[in-house]
Structures are given as structure tokens and as C-alpha cells.
Amino acid sequence: MYKYVGIFMVAFAVLIFVFLGSVDGFSTSHQVCTYDATKMCKPALATAAFSTISFLLGAVTSVVSGFLGMKIATYANARTTLEARKGVGKAFIVAFRSGAVMGFLLAANGLVVLYITINLFKLYYGDDWGGLFEAITGYGLGGSSMALFGRVGGGIYTKAADVGADLVGKVERNIPEDDPRNPAVIADNVGDNVGDIAGMGSDLFGSYAESSCAALVVASISSFGINHEFTAMLYPLIISAVGILVCLITTLFATDFFEIKAVKEIEPALKKQLVISTVLMTVGIAVVSWVALPASFTIFNFGTQKDVTNWQLFLCVAVGLWAGLIIGFVTEYYTSNAYSPVQDVADSCRTGAATNVIFGLALGYKSVIIPIFAIAISIFVSFSFAAMYGIAVAALGMLSTIATGLAIDAYGPISDNAGGIAEMAGMSHRIRERTDALDAAGNTTAAIGKGFAIGSAALVSLALFGAFVSRASITTVDVLTPKVFIGLIVGAMLPYWFSAMTMKSVGSAALKMVEEVRRQFNTIPGLMEGTAKPDYATCVKISTDASIKEMIPPGALVMLTPLIVGIFFGVETLSGVLAGSLVSGVQIAISASNTGGAWDNAKKYIEAGASDHARSLGPKGSDPHKAAVIGDTIGDPLKDTSGPSLNILIKLMAVESLVFAPFFATHGGLLFKI
């Protein structure tokens, strides 16, 4: 898989160089600055070269983060299973710490590479900060384009295996989940690592890189950049650095200050992580804003400079931070089986799969309401205070506790696979119960992580959109002009097209997987009795081939749309497309991942049989349980493939437009020039 991604990386790097170099006909002489006609700036060719370098750096960092995350997770899986022999508390600490290791690794990786790159580029650019930070935007593009392949490829890989294993194993053959007799079981467990850990890691890394880039671009043409105040200029990076320290302290609360003894303490402990990190971070941001920023300064606002004070900027970051927490908790309310929404979905399984599906879809649509209001309020507040820079730092505020967010997110697949290992190694029933308890909490926290990723993607994309509009020197985007309106309506359609591609890919890959698993059950003698071993390798190969082949069309859709629109229709139509895809993509992404999460936990609720209500719905294998399994299977591609990949679609199109903005502004809009 990394081979194909590598080929793409090199090809796209060449494309960036050629497009951006041709802005000024590949001349090496200095050009007039974009924002200040009295000064001379470095040539466009330099921006092309340095954008290409930062693109490759971002891509490599993203791939390395995902790869190391998978390494950590594979070590952690078996250790968690072994610790589960001693009790739930011990297993929880191992799973959580390994998640934390991955979170810190990612946050620190992104920060350190970005900081070093800025300082190295400064050696060449000197005082031309506008050009310097324009070249840095390639870093975000690199990070996100790799995340797209990790998310889509990983999502197709894991869900093809999961759907195939569930349909044949649980529904047709009535064998438990992760049973070693099931040929698709290895592919399913490998897939958890690929999709949930490598995909999620590079996704959040992409958001983080892009929001930093968007903030830096806007800051470089504000008073920070004009007066060359380096500390204030790097305010976005300082926020992230404080975030790492805050998350370090927060992690200790889960593992060292309070011991977890019972199953029911797991979920509250993970939720406390979010609250503690948010509260501490608010204090941290206040200190940073007071120390690093001048008392008042100006921020570039579509052609004018806007006066802003340091406490206003603090409020921008804080509002993003708290909006993230709200989105996290709303997601948790709609996807955890401790609350009524999921219990209602489970209850509807009495009358079969159809009612389960209807209730689940309704729940997903309903769960969009509060997160959207939270995003809307944070956009309004931060834009009123500090224009587009405010939105960029609000996105950074939401991502500042990324290490904790990733820790509770990676915790899910780690405990899931620990359960798989316990089942396959034939360990006692008690251990499987403990890992299941860890996993049920992990399911909810994974949904919270996805909520964060989607919320931050919305803010990041808007910030990038603002930076793009500033860079392409458009002062207003008028919805009533036909150029812009056709962009809006087409942009709003793109997430549907993209979801159709990813869902269909999962469906067709799952179809092959189901046929293969059925073939093995029917032709290998002694497989059901457990005397013969299934052929795991064929199933892994089906998943791998499907994910590599099927990730190309959706990837091409996202990567080519901004280029085609920008070249043929120009920057105004492109700004419409970006706004349209942002507005519709967020809604589909939230509803898809919450619907899937709710179905999954409704099934777990029936299986665990923890309350009288759950027991009345029957043991595993009863009719309501089978209906719940069908809902869960439909929800798999929603919550793990199309939902999470959509937030990359939103961000990637915006960051790509920003990187190519100089080219579109000079040579774009061919059709309207005829």
C-alpha cells in the first residue's frame, strides 16, 4: 500500500512544482509582492520549489505517524490481553497508555517538523514572510493527502473484512465474533489497526497541520508578519506546544492519580480526560496569549487590517476548545448505550431489522443539530473578534488537546483487538468479558474522537477557505452571481458522490469476502469442528487488493476537483465549490458516524444483557439480536469509511485550493475567458 502512496506523492509533487512555477513563466527574477506593491519578493519559482519540499515533508510525516501508531498498537494488543488476566484496571492502564504514546508521538512529530521547516525556510526567505508561509501551506496538503489514502484505503480494508466476517460467522454459522474458525478474522483484526489507528492518526495530523498553516498564512500578512514579530507569529505553534504539556498532566489522572477497579469506572475515567484537559488548556491558553502576544495588533481581513486585542484572540481559541468538548459529549450521548437514544434503537430490534434501520437513521440525523450550533457559534464569535485568523486559531483550540483525544481514540481499537486475541487464543470466558467491557467503552470514545475530527475539519476548512480567498485576492464571494452559485450547488453534491464511491467499494469488497468465507466453510473439511485451519491469507489478500484498487477513484475525485474547477472556471466558482462541500459534508459526516456508532452499541447493549430491558431482547442468536447485527453491519461502512473520510474531503479540497491559489489567480478560469 505504501508503494502506491509513494508513487502518488512523487507525481503530485511534480504537479505542484510545474503549476506554481508557471505562475511567472518560470522566471528566477524577483517579483512584486502580492500584498504590498512597493516591495520586491522572492520569485514564484522559489515558492514552487519550497511548496513542493514542504508537501513532501508533510506527506512523509503523516505516513510515518500512521506507521508508528500501528507498530505501537500491535505491541499493545497482546499486552492488554495478558494484563486482563490480572483484572480490568491493569488492562485499562496498558491500553490507555499505549493510546497516549501514540497521541503524544503524533502531536510532537507534527509540531517539531513544522517548526524546523519554518526555521530552515527562513534562511532563504529572510524578511519575505508572506512568501515563506505561503510555501509552508504545502505541509498541510501533504499531511492531508496521505490521510485521505489512509482513511479511505484503511476504511475499505477493515470494513470489507468486518462485514464479511460478521455476515457469515455470526448470522449464518452462529459462531462468536473473532472465532479462529472464521477465515476473515485475521483480516478483520489487521483492519482495525489500518483504519482506526493509521487512518485516524494521519487524519488528525492533517487537521492539525492545516489549521497551523491557515493561521500562519493569515498572520504573515497581518501586523505580526509586517513588523516581523517572530514570537507572536508562531502563536499557533505555541498553543500546540502547551497542549502537549497539558495532555501529559491529564494522562496522569487516568493512570496514576486514580486507580480503576470496576468496569463501570472505565467510561467516566475516559470522559474525565476530556474535561480535565479542556479546563487545564483554557488556563494554558490564557497564559500564552498574555505572554506571547502584544496587547493589541492588527489582523488581515479581506483587504483591510482589523484591530484586535490579545484577550479577544484568547476567546477565539477558548471558544473552539469548548465547542470541541460539547461536540464530544453530544456524540457520546447519541452513541453510548448508557443513554436513551441507543436503548431506543436496541428496543426497536424487537420488530426486526427494518425498524432498527429507521430508528438508527433518525438518530443520526438528529445528532447533527447540537454540534452544528456549537460550530456555528464558535465561527460567529471567532470571526467577529479576529476575522479569518480567529477561525484558524479556534480550530487549533479544538485540536490543542489532540494528544488526549487520540489517546482515548486509539484506546478503542487496541482493546477491541485484545478481545480478538483472547478469543483466538482460547483464553477463559472471564478474560473475554473484561476485554469486552473495555471495548464497549472504547466504541463510544472512538465516536467522540470522530466527532472531534469532524468538528475541527469544519473549522479548519473554513479557515483555509478564508486564506484561499485572501490569497486569490477576491474581496467578496457573491452567492447571487451564477459563477458562484453553480459552484455552491456542485460542491454540495460532492460529499454524496464521494460517499457513494466509498460505500460501494466496501459493499463489493465485502461481497467477495463473504463468497470466500462461505467457500472455505463449505469446502474445507473439519473447519466448523475446529480440526482444520482456515486459509486466512486469501482473506487478507482480498482486503488488501480491494483497498488499493478502490481508494483510487474517491482519491482522484477529491484531488482533481479543485484543479479542474480552478483551471476551467476560475477562483470564484472554486470558492463556491469549497463552501458547498463544507456545508453539506459536515452534516453527512456527523450523521453517518453517529448512526453507525449507535447501531454498533445497540448490538453490544443486547449482547451484554446488563439490564432487565437488555435481557428481554434476548441472548446472542435471538431474533432481536440478529436484527441488531444487521444494523451494525450496515453501520460499519457509514461509521468507519464514508463518515470519517468526508472530513478529509472537506479539508483537502480547501488546502489544495490554497496551495494552487497563485496559479488559479493568474491562469485560471479558461472557460470564462473565451
Side-chain angles (χ1 to χ4, degrees):
M1 167 142 171
Y2 284 128
K3 184 180 79 184
Y4 290 89
V5 169
I7 298 170
F8 162 80
M9 233 155 75
V10 176
F12 206 75
V14 173
L15 193 71
I16 294 178
F17 183 74
V18 172
F19 271 29
L20 290 179
S22 67
V23 168
D24 206 12
F26 292 104
S27 79
T28 48
S29 57
H30 286 227
Q31 58 179 20
V32 177
C33 295
T34 320
Y35 302 105
D36 184 358
T38 56
K39 295 200 188 86
M40 293 304 281
C41 285
K42 299 291 183 198
L45 198 63
T47 305
F50 282 105
S51 293
T52 311
I53 295 170
S54 58
F55 166 76
L56 290 171
L57 276 172
V60 169
T61 314
S62 183
V63 170
V64 167
S65 309
F67 178 72
L68 291 174
M70 291 205 293
K71 268 266 181 283
I72 295 166
T74 27
Y75 285 128
N77 297 338
R79 292 178 188 180
T80 308
T81 317
L82 290 176
E83 286 293 300
R85 293 184 303 189
K86 302 177 194 164
V88 169
K90 290 272 189 289
F92 170 79
I93 287 179
V94 171
F96 184 77
R97 274 191 186 148
S98 20
V101 171
M102 184 191 153
F104 288 117
L105 180 99
L106 218 111
N109 239 348
L111 188 62
V112 90
V113 176
L114 189 55
Y115 182 68
I116 293 171
T117 314
I118 290 174
N119 280 323
L120 289 179
F121 283 14
K122 224 168 102 191
L123 299 176
Y124 171 79
Y125 276 102
D127 279 347
D128 172 17
W129 283 14
L132 162 66
F133 289 104
E134 196 174 298
I136 290 284
T137 52
Y139 184 71
L141 177 63
S144 238
S145 53
M146 292 306 104
L148 173 77
F149 292 113
R151 258 294 189 215
V152 177
I156 293 168
Y157 187 109
T158 168
K159 288 305 123 185
D162 197 357
V163 172
D166 281 3
L167 280 179
V168 183
K170 287 198 285 199
V171 178
E172 291 177 14
R173 298 274 167 173
N174 268 340
I175 56 177
E177 193 163 2
D178 295 324
D179 190 297
R181 289 173 295 180
N182 193 333
V185 69
I186 300 285
D188 183 11
N189 285 342
V190 174
D192 283 339
N193 285 338
V194 180
D196 286 354
I197 291 194
M200 187 69 184
S202 36
D203 181 4
L204 281 174
F205 167 76
S207 284
Y208 163 76
E210 284 158 344
S211 50
S212 307
C213 292
L216 291 168
V217 169
V218 180
S220 69
I221 48 180
S222 307
S223 64
F224 301 154
I226 298 164
N227 307 334
H228 298 295
E229 299 163 3
F230 196 58
T231 312
M233 187 64 224
L234 291 187
Y235 179 66
L237 298 188
I238 301 171
I239 296 176
S240 313
V242 172
I244 295 179
L245 292 174
V246 164
C247 292
L248 253 176
I249 301 166
T250 313
T251 313
L252 296 176
F253 278 97
T255 53
D256 296 75
F257 299 156
F258 305 110
E259 188 88 359
I260 287 193
K261 294 189 179 59
V263 172
K264 60 176 187 293
E265 293 172 15
I266 299 171
E267 227 170 279
L270 291 168
K271 273 158 53 183
K272 273 194 208 112
Q273 286 287 298
L274 286 176
V275 179
I276 295 169
S277 64
T278 306
V279 172
L280 291 177
M281 193 62 207
T282 311
V283 180
I285 298 168
V287 174
V288 169
S289 306
W290 189 59
V291 174
L293 295 173
S296 75
F297 41 89
T298 64
I299 295 286
F300 183 84
N301 178 23
F302 301 127
T304 54
Q305 293 282 350
K306 180 183 167 90
D307 291 308
V308 182
T309 59
N310 56 4
W311 64 268
Q312 285 175 315
L313 211 49
F314 157 68
L315 284 178
C316 292
V317 185
V319 81
L321 180 66
W322 286 90
L325 186 70
I326 291 169
I327 294 174
F329 276 140
V330 171
T331 312
E332 195 245 356
Y333 173 72
Y334 279 106
T335 55
S336 162
N337 51 26
Y339 303 104
S340 59
V342 171
Q343 292 176 4
D344 290 346
V345 172
D347 192 59
S348 69
C349 291
R350 287 176 196 281
T351 45
T355 40
N356 180 24
V357 171
I358 294 169
F359 269 72
L361 287 172
L363 176 144
Y365 296 147
K366 201 170 146 195
S367 69
V368 177
I369 302 168
I370 300 174
I372 292 291
F373 275 121
I375 294 173
I377 291 168
S378 52
I379 289 173
F380 184 78
V381 171
S382 49
F383 193 91
S384 313
F385 281 149
M388 275 303 170
Y389 187 69
I391 291 176
V393 291
L396 268 172
M398 197 180 278
L399 288 166
S400 60
T401 51
I402 180 175
T404 299
L406 264 173
I408 64 173
D409 194 75
Y411 159 85
I414 289 172
S415 46
D416 187 358
N417 278 350
I421 291 172
E423 183 75 51
M424 287 190 284
M427 291 171 125
S428 75
H429 189 60
R430 209 171 66 246
I431 293 179
R432 178 73 216 217
E433 272 174 10
R434 285 175 186 160
T435 55
D436 270 355
L438 291 174
D439 182 25
N443 240 350
T444 307
T445 58
I448 294 178
K450 289 187 187 107
F452 261 96
I454 295 165
S456 64
L459 289 175
V460 169
S461 172
L462 188 61
L464 290 165
F465 178 64
F468 161 72
V469 170
S470 313
R471 179 61 190 86
S473 22
I474 310 171
T475 41
T476 52
V477 177
D478 184 1
V479 185
L480 295 175
T481 51
K483 275 188 195 179
V484 178
F485 193 80
I486 56 168
L488 271 178
I489 201 158
V490 171
M493 174 273 301
L494 288 173
Y496 289 90
W497 190 358
F498 182 81
S499 299
M501 285 180 172
T502 49
M503 303 262 304
K504 198 156 185 293
S505 305
V506 173
S508 57
L511 197 75
K512 288 195 192 102
M513 188 68 80
V514 168
E515 281 167 358
E516 172 59 26
V517 175
R518 276 186 191 152
R519 183 192 68 76
Q520 292 196 23
F521 272 127
N522 293 334
T523 57
I524 301 178
L527 181 57
M528 272 306 279
E529 293 71 46
T531 49
K533 271 204 152 156
D535 173 9
Y536 298 122
T538 315
C539 290
V540 174
K541 188 167 169 19
I542 289 179
S543 262
T544 315
D545 293 350
S547 66
I548 289 171
K549 191 174 106 242
E550 303 277 359
M551 75 186 176
I552 296 165
L557 174 72
V558 180
M559 301 302 278
L560 295 178
T561 303
L563 292 177
I564 293 170
V565 174
I567 293 168
F568 292 113
F569 297 92
V571 278
E572 283 161 322
T573 310
L574 182 53
S575 59
V577 169
L578 295 180
S581 66
L582 164 67
V583 167
S584 86
V586 174
Q587 330 284 338
I588 308 179
I590 297 177
S591 64
S593 43
N594 288 352
T595 294
W599 276 330
D600 195 348
N601 274 345
K603 175 202 68 173
K604 287 228 168 42
Y605 174 74
I606 296 178
E607 285 178 353
S611 64
D612 290 337
H613 176 230
R615 280 191 289 276
S616 74
L617 293 168
K620 287 187 187 182
S622 69
D623 282 345
H625 177 248
K626 279 189 175 161
V629 171
I630 292 174
D632 174 33
T633 315
I634 302 173
D636 274 337
L638 284 174
K639 77 172 195 304
D640 290 321
T641 314
S642 60
S645 314
L646 277 174
N647 53 42
I648 300 179
L649 166 121
I650 305 169
K651 295 179 309 195
L652 192 52
M653 282 177 36
V655 74
E656 192 183 336
S657 310
L658 173 61
V659 172
F660 287 112
F663 177 77
F664 296 151
T666 43
H667 299 302
L670 297 179
L671 289 183
F672 295 128
K673 284 178 184 166
I674 299 169

